Amino acid sequence: MGQQRAEFAAFYESARDDCLRAVMASVGNRQVAEDAVAEAFARAWASWSTVARHPSPRAWVVRTALNTHISWWRRRRREVPEPAAPDTGRDDSGDHLPDPRVMAALRSLPTRQREVFVLRVFLDLDSDTTARTLGIAAGTVTTHLARATRALRAHLTPVTEQEQKL
């Protein structure tokens, strides 16, 4: 048990920030992302012997956090949401968060494109691992990534640069 605890503690320390950034980029709200990631890590600890053998435990945590967020959203979708506080690009610990413009552009993507982009770019997963994590084909990952990249580029490229390319 002591070795298992040490392995999980090392995993948590190395993966926590990446997983939080990935989930935050996907859900768009830091507080919701923190809650979902905390729940996902708690579930990872409860099933650590299985999660440790997963091809990408970080992807497992992110997928679990996103599933947790979806479950919370379904339960609360009839409630009137409070306005979310805008993210400033920094958290209380001084860690850099994704640029607010990038976060807004990510939120404009369809859910599956956003999930693929976050797993491929934020967690640097390959297409096969991303496909297994999301339960889709590797070719679908490639298609979603290409579409997401094109949409983000169009959203984030200043209009004057776009006009010059025409």
Side-chain angles (χ1 to χ4, degrees):
M1 184 69 161
Q3 181 182 354
Q4 194 175 31
R5 182 174 288 162
E7 287 175 8
F8 181 78
F11 166 70
Y12 176 78
E13 285 299 318
S14 70
R16 178 190 58 221
D17 293 339
D18 289 341
C19 291
L20 177 60
R21 277 190 286 276
V23 173
M24 192 175 121
S26 190
V27 302
N29 181 297
R30 181 166 181 89
Q31 291 174 334
V32 170
E34 285 175 347
D35 290 344
V37 169
E39 176 69 23
F41 272 111
R43 290 180 186 184
W45 168 244
S47 302
W48 182 241
S49 60
T50 303
V51 174
R53 291 189 310 266
H54 189 277
S56 178
R58 288 175 190 231
W60 187 96
V61 168
V62 170
R63 183 75 237 160
T64 301
L66 292 175
N67 287 344
T68 299
H69 170 67
I70 290 167
S71 295
W72 287 343
W73 177 81
R74 285 179 179 154
R75 284 193 302 267
R76 293 183 177 100
R77 68 181 167 199
R78 289 185 176 93
E79 296 177 12
V80 177
E82 292 183 29
D87 289 317
T88 62
R90 284 187 154 269
D91 68 4
D92 296 336
S93 67
D95 290 340
H96 289 283
L97 301 176
D99 184 298
R101 294 172 303 162
V102 173
M103 294 297 292
L106 282 169
R107 281 191 299 274
S108 73
L109 295 175
T111 302
R112 187 60 73 173
Q113 287 181 18
R114 185 171 55 243
E115 290 173 346
V116 166
F117 188 86
V118 164
L119 291 173
R120 292 281 285 129
V121 175
F122 282 63
L123 292 186
D124 197 27
L125 299 181
D126 60 35
S127 291
D128 291 333
T129 304
T130 301
R132 281 192 308 274
T133 300
L134 297 175
I136 58 179
T140 305
V141 168
T142 304
T143 300
H144 282 310
L145 182 61
R147 289 177 181 166
T149 303
R150 188 175 10 194
L152 290 172
R153 188 174 291 129
H155 189 81
L156 295 170
T157 303
V159 174
T160 54
E161 286 182 36
Q162 290 177 7
E163 290 172 351
Q164 291 173 356
K165 293 178 183 178
L166 297 177

